[in-house]
Amino acid sequence: MVAMAATTASSQLIFSNSCSSSRLSPFQLCVFDTKTVLSSPIGKKKHVGSGIRCMAVGSAAEKAETKKKSGYEILTLTSWLLKQEQAGVIDAELTIVLSSISMACKQIASLVQRAVNIQGEDQKKLDVVSNEVFSNCLKSSGRTGIIASEEEDVPVAVEESYSGNYIVVFDPLDGSSNIDAAVSTGSIFGIYSPNDECLAEIEDDSTLDKVEQRCVINVCQPGSNLLAAGYCMYSSSVIFVLTIGKGVFSFTLDPMYGEFVLTQESIQIPKSGKIYSFNEGNYQLWDDKLKKYIDDLKDPGPSGKPYSARYIGSLVGDFHRTLLYGGIYGYPRDKKSKNGKLRLLYECAPMSFIAEQAGGKGSDGHQRVLDIKPEEIHQRVPLYIGSVEEVEKLEKFLA
């Protein structure tokens, strides 16, 4: 028995810890109103003297439980991923891929916040640097087989992959034209399961012939086959939003810890909303059905309250607001861009997967985005995404 005593004028404090076993027992605190010294093993109180008050200080496990109950527990993205792995929701290989993506996002966040270009023999734009950062992190993870970027003409088959062989598609820096104005930007990604039926091999000239391109396209599946998707928004705070097919979770980068910390669980987009996000500068280029839809949103109607227009010009920023507040974001086809400008693989499919996991909807105006199989690596499609009721309302106008 090990005991420590602290004496005051009229009382004593005794800290005792039983060492009878290899497992450490919690300390017990006993306060006496007399000068009687007492040894009291946990669970056995001896009433000696008067006014004795005993209570366990608690073990590390008990302290952790108390911390959790008090609401002060900090759950990092790494810890959260490990919990999902332990629960069998994802495997160890996918955990590593997602961790490498989060590392890439931290690096890009630092570059964006400094708002400077990397200096070298040739100045590189921030979106090009971000692409290199994203690609390097994925390659070094050793768990990706093919990576496809919006910044690359063709997908890249990773030469050294230890296991996993996941297919990762990404837009390294969406909204990069907003950098100089310090407006929200972001990275978007989607992860597909390995497909060993047809793996392309990279050549010395870093290009793929048509046969190999077709092979990679077949590997890149429709969005309905996505295993995970997410985005990282670089704004007043750095927010990492992720789904692994079991709801949508949001993590915020804490500068003190240098870690993404869980801040929102099981996010649900409102079923309807009064905010629409379209670039109305292209209004005259839209077809008449879409014009009627927008005109209807502006009509105050019986309520006397028209929809509010909010357009940042950054898909990640506009979508994040829509995810939290409800409403609809749209990038339609027009006379100049027959299929809009957003790419199916890197933007539309991952964002639609996130929207559906949050109870929302992603559509090209006529069909579910996740059902569209890509026919080209950089295929573009119109996108309408947000609250279920708002997207369905638009579909009725376009029908």
Side-chain angles (χ1 to χ4, degrees):
M1 177 71 67
V2 178
M4 296 178 293
T7 306
T8 62
S10 60
S11 66
Q12 288 183 331
L13 300 181
I14 302 294
F15 294 88
S16 66
N17 181 30
S18 174
C19 299
S20 58
S21 65
S22 60
R23 182 179 177 182
L24 292 178
S25 301
F27 282 102
Q28 182 153 345
L29 171 64
C30 295
V31 183
F32 302 88
D33 289 335
T34 68
K35 295 184 179 181
T36 306
V37 177
L38 173 69
S39 294
S40 175
I42 294 174
K44 295 181 180 180
K45 295 183 181 179
K46 292 183 179 179
H47 296 278
V48 179
S50 59
I52 303 171
R53 302 188 304 278
C54 296
M55 61 181 232
V57 176
S59 65
E62 290 172 331
K63 288 180 181 178
E65 182 65 21
T66 302
K67 188 177 182 182
K68 182 178 180 181
K69 290 180 179 178
S70 66
Y72 288 101
E73 182 184 28
I74 293 177
L75 186 62
T76 65
L77 174 61
T78 302
S79 298
W80 185 85
L81 288 172
L82 289 175
K83 284 188 175 184
Q84 304 309 308
E85 182 185 330
Q86 291 169 354
V89 179
I90 59 177
D91 60 22
E93 313 300 333
L94 187 54
T95 298
I96 293 173
V97 173
L98 288 168
S99 295
S100 69
I101 289 174
S102 72
M103 178 59 69
C105 291
K106 288 179 188 177
Q107 294 181 47
I108 295 171
S110 178
L111 292 170
V112 169
Q113 288 172 346
R114 281 187 287 161
V116 295
N117 290 332
I118 302 300
Q119 300 295 323
E121 291 183 1
D122 298 311
Q123 269 198 347
K124 296 182 180 179
K125 292 184 178 179
L126 200 52
D127 50 1
V128 176
V129 177
S130 298
N131 182 64
E132 292 180 2
V133 169
F134 225 100
S135 298
N136 290 338
C137 284
L138 287 170
K139 289 177 182 177
S140 63
S141 75
R143 269 71 183 179
T144 52
I146 293 176
I147 58 176
S149 168
E150 187 183 39
E151 296 294 327
E152 303 283 354
D153 292 334
V154 293
V156 175
V158 181
E159 292 180 348
E160 295 183 8
S161 182
Y162 306 114
S163 57
N165 292 321
Y166 285 96
I167 301 159
V168 183
V169 295
F170 60 92
D171 180 354
L173 193 59
D174 171 73
S176 57
S177 61
N178 290 323
I179 289 288
D180 291 342
V183 176
S184 299
T185 55
S187 301
I188 308 170
F189 64 89
I191 303 175
Y192 292 89
S193 61
N195 189 330
D196 297 328
E197 293 178 4
C198 187
L199 291 178
E201 294 182 359
I202 194 72
E203 301 294 342
D204 292 336
D205 59 359
S206 299
T207 60
L208 300 172
D209 60 27
K210 291 183 178 180
V211 175
E212 289 172 323
Q213 279 196 50
R214 177 57 56 186
C215 177
V216 175
I217 292 171
N218 290 335
V219 172
C220 293
Q221 307 138 35
S224 57
N225 290 349
L226 278 165
L227 294 178
Y231 60 85
C232 189
M233 183 174 70
Y234 314 113
S235 185
S236 55
S237 56
V238 180
I239 299 176
F240 189 88
V241 176
L242 173 67
T243 178
I244 52 176
K246 300 288 183 180
V248 179
F249 298 80
S250 179
F251 302 81
T252 302
L253 185 61
D254 189 325
M256 182 181 295
Y257 302 107
E259 294 282 352
F260 284 107
V261 176
L262 180 64
T263 47
Q264 288 179 287
E265 299 184 68
S266 302
I267 299 173
Q268 286 290 302
I269 184 172
K271 291 185 177 180
S272 62
K274 285 292 185 178
I275 298 175
Y276 72 97
S277 185
F278 288 69
N279 182 4
E280 291 189 77
N282 294 325
Y283 180 88
Q284 295 300 330
L285 302 177
W286 294 341
D287 62 40
D288 292 338
K289 291 180 179 180
L290 184 59
K291 288 180 181 178
K292 288 180 181 179
Y293 167 74
I294 294 296
D295 292 342
D296 182 75
L297 298 184
K298 294 179 179 180
D299 186 352
S303 67
K305 294 182 179 180
Y307 279 61
S308 297
R310 299 285 187 274
Y311 188 72
I312 299 172
S314 167
L315 172 58
V316 172
D318 281 312
F319 177 79
H320 189 70
R321 182 196 58 247
T322 305
L323 178 68
L324 299 181
Y325 304 150
I328 184 171
Y329 168 87
Y331 204 117
R333 67 178 86 236
D334 57 42
K335 293 178 181 178
K336 290 192 303 181
S337 306
K338 300 299 182 182
N339 290 306
K341 287 189 175 180
L342 299 180
R343 291 172 171 83
L344 175 60
L345 272 178
Y346 317 109
E347 297 164 318
C348 301
M351 287 305 206
S352 294
F353 186 53
I354 296 169
E356 289 195 8
Q357 285 294 315
K361 187 172 183 178
S363 170
D364 70 347
H366 303 282
Q367 64 177 321
R368 181 177 178 237
V369 168
L370 296 185
D371 289 335
I372 305 174
K373 182 171 181 177
E375 297 177 356
E376 299 176 8
I377 291 296
H378 296 294
Q379 180 176 339
R380 303 173 191 266
V381 296
L383 177 66
Y384 305 99
I385 193 169
S387 301
V388 169
E389 292 181 8
E390 304 305 327
V391 175
E392 290 179 346
K393 177 180 179 180
L394 174 134
E395 288 178 325
K396 290 178 181 178
F397 272 86
L398 298 184

